[in-house]
Amino acid sequence: LRNAEKELLPGFHQFEWQPALKNVSSSWDVGIIDGLSGWTTFVDDVPADTISRRFRYDVALVSALKDLEEDIMEGLKERGLDDSICTSGFTVVVKESCDGMGDVSEKHGSGPAVPEKAVRFSFTIMSISIRVEGEDDGITIFQEQKPNSELSCRPLCLMFVDESDHETLTAILGPVVAERKAMTESRLILSVGGLLRSFRFFFRGTGYDEKMVREMEGLEASGSTYVCTLCDSTRAEASQNMVLHSITRSHDENLERYEIWRSNPFSESADELRDRVKGVSAKPFMETQPTLDALHCDIGNATEFYKIFQDEIGEVYQKSNPSREERRRWRSTLDKQLRKKLKFKPVMRMNGNYARRLMTREAVEVVCELVPSEERREALRKLMDLYLQMKPVWRSTCPSRDCPDQLCQYSYNSQQFADLLSTTFKYRYDGKITNYLHKTLAHVPEIVERDGSIGAWASEGNESGNKLFRRFRKMNARQSKMFELEDV
């Protein structure tokens, strides 16, 4: 088993980089390493109270490519390409995901006291294409069919860190970022199908929820006035004009804005400065793609609908601020009804499965039984109908193939949805709007046009991997803290 395992884990296959990677060792037989390696401690530094294990990024990518060796050779054959000629010009597109896992405490091993929270960083090989001489466009020879399965999502780094602990998180992911940067400036030479071939890599950090994006890109937390990680809109502006925004933020711009924030070149007051940098207040340390995470979009919007349902049961549109007691009563009425009619168990925090079941026509019908006025019931049905027309566009792996009609109607539907919010549901959206509703209404068509899909680039695979992490940690790992992460 040990030997079989060695072939599957990174560190088994020989490779080289041309030119050699900057500041990365050229040895290839490197397996699991300490996530803190490459982190020089100073005398006055607090020793890191964390345990972290990872693979070296390039070694892990080689292992993933060798896993796909047969698919690559098949792809070349299917495209009618002679594999003995195709030795260079391969391009690999990689999706990166990173997510904090909340509470993972149940171990009683020995070793340092580590935070009872974990963070996982993983990647998925999304596609491999080749540029053939005389052709302008690359020919795709491999496309991941299940980009959101935990099977295609490969763990790179596991760490016991609270995702809010910016210092430790950046210290551990720092070397990963450096390796990734070095790889974008070099080519991998690897034997695939018995011949040496050269590969270039493109990395797209899209599998992050909004909290992690803000953390990585140096933006203020989710409750900030600056509601969006894609544009400079404020919450008030986003609630006035719900649909017409375009994507303007980028990693480079965030770095420039951080410099302005740090040096205040125009000697402005704190408020003026903050308005100039649009909520950038820390140094961005990892590039993420300005996109929307489909899973968290689902969860965020379902949370909002759940609140709208409560407000409608309590007829908030007629009242001025109701008491907490009343709100509690409406919530328990809603929970009881959903439990009785649809067998929903109430959840403390909205999750993907609950969100999927709540955002359906049947759920709305069940809620409507509790809403006194027919007019309001109609509005709720219409709101849900529009939402269900929009949802496949950012959920599907390939919207132009799976739901072309809904894709065409998206802008019209989002405008209708926005009109409904700003009239019938004005009591909830006067001067405010939730982060994910803003993105859903304003940015989806532009992202789909740019990337071809939103759903394929979601964090779902990484989230499913979290579940496995929990299970392996309970059942299959050695009890000692030092070995635990290696076993997982």
Side-chain angles (χ1 to χ4, degrees), residues 210-223:
E210 178 156 340
K211 182 178 178 189
M212 189 62 89
V213 168
R214 287 173 175 274
E215 172 95 12
M216 302 261 191
E217 289 283 12
L219 301 167
E220 294 170 354
S222 306

Side-chain angles (χ1 to χ4, degrees), residues 374-476:
E374 178 53 42
E375 199 183 320
R376 307 298 296 182
R377 288 195 289 251
E378 263 320 295
L380 275 180
R381 287 187 194 112
K382 187 172 180 206
L383 200 64
M384 183 62 87
D385 271 342
L386 285 167
Y387 186 78
L388 292 174
Q389 284 296 308
M390 289 165 14
K391 180 174 152 177
V393 176
W394 43 263
R395 252 327 198 167
S396 146
T397 311
C398 177
S400 58
R401 179 195 66 205
D402 302 338
C403 51
D405 298 349
Q406 282 132 319
L407 179 58
C408 292
Q409 292 167 357
Y410 194 94
S411 297
Y412 174 74
N413 287 336
S414 62
Q415 187 60 62
Q416 295 273 295
F417 190 93
D419 291 344
L420 203 53
L421 290 188
S422 50
T423 53
T424 314
F425 297 94
K426 190 167 175 57
Y427 67 89
R428 248 194 107 74
Y429 300 98
D430 195 11
K432 54 187 196 290
I433 188 169
T434 64
N435 301 15
Y436 274 113
L437 263 182
H438 159 72
K439 284 183 185 168
T440 311
L441 295 173
H443 295 303
V444 168
E446 187 179 352
I447 302 172
V448 172
E449 196 175 319
R450 182 191 70 195
D451 298 345
S453 166
I454 290 176
W457 296 94
S459 66
E460 197 126 38
N462 193 46
E463 297 275 356
S464 308
N466 291 350
K467 217 159 48 193
L468 293 179
F469 174 94
R470 287 209 160 91
R471 192 160 86 218
F472 292 153
R473 183 163 183 240
K474 263 204 181 94
M475 313 288 206
N476 310 65

Side-chain angles (χ1 to χ4, degrees), residues 180-198:
R180 168 210 210 198
K181 185 173 185 307
M183 287 188 286
T184 54
E185 295 161 3
S186 184
R187 279 192 180 77
L188 170 72
I189 311 293
L190 175 68
S191 162
V192 173
L195 284 174
L196 290 177
R197 304 174 198 271
S198 88

Side-chain angles (χ1 to χ4, degrees), residues 262-325:
R262 199 182 56 77
S263 58
N264 193 1
F266 307 104
S267 313
E268 290 163 308
S269 70
D271 288 344
E272 290 168 325
L273 185 58
R274 182 166 166 245
D275 180 56
R276 181 182 291 278
V277 296
K278 306 294 180 201
V280 175
S281 59
K283 185 170 184 174
F285 92 102
M286 186 166 207
E287 181 169 8
T288 64
Q289 285 296 316
T291 180
L292 168 156
D293 181 54
L295 174 69
H296 289 92
C297 184
D298 238 7
I299 292 171
N301 291 339
T303 308
E304 192 53 22
F305 267 77
Y306 182 68
K307 289 178 179 163
I308 292 175
F309 292 161
Q310 291 169 48
D311 286 355
E312 287 302 311
I313 290 168
E315 302 190 87
V316 176
Y317 65 96
Q318 298 174 343
K319 309 183 167 96
S320 56
N321 46 5
S323 70
R324 279 178 102 158
E325 291 313 311

Side-chain angles (χ1 to χ4, degrees), residues 243-257:
V243 181
L244 302 168
H245 296 271
S246 56
I247 298 174
T248 55
R249 288 192 192 267
S250 69
H251 184 66
D252 292 338
E253 183 192 57
N254 291 339
L255 282 166
E256 286 165 18
R257 283 179 164 173

Side-chain angles (χ1 to χ4, degrees), residues 6-15 28 58-73 92 123 125 128 154 188-197 199 201:
K6 278 198 184 96
E7 284 188 45
L8 298 170
L9 281 177
F12 183 77
H13 302 284
Q14 197 166 357
F15 62 88
W28 52 266
D58 60 328
V59 182
L61 283 168
V62 164
S63 174
L65 280 179
K66 289 298 273 187
D67 252 5
L68 299 173
E69 189 163 18
E70 283 172 27
D71 299 287
I72 293 171
M73 301 316 288
V92 183
F123 67 90
I125 292 188
I128 302 173
R154 300 156 193 278
L188 170 72
I189 311 293
L190 175 68
S191 162
V192 173
L195 284 174
L196 290 177
R197 304 174 198 271
F199 297 84
F201 292 89

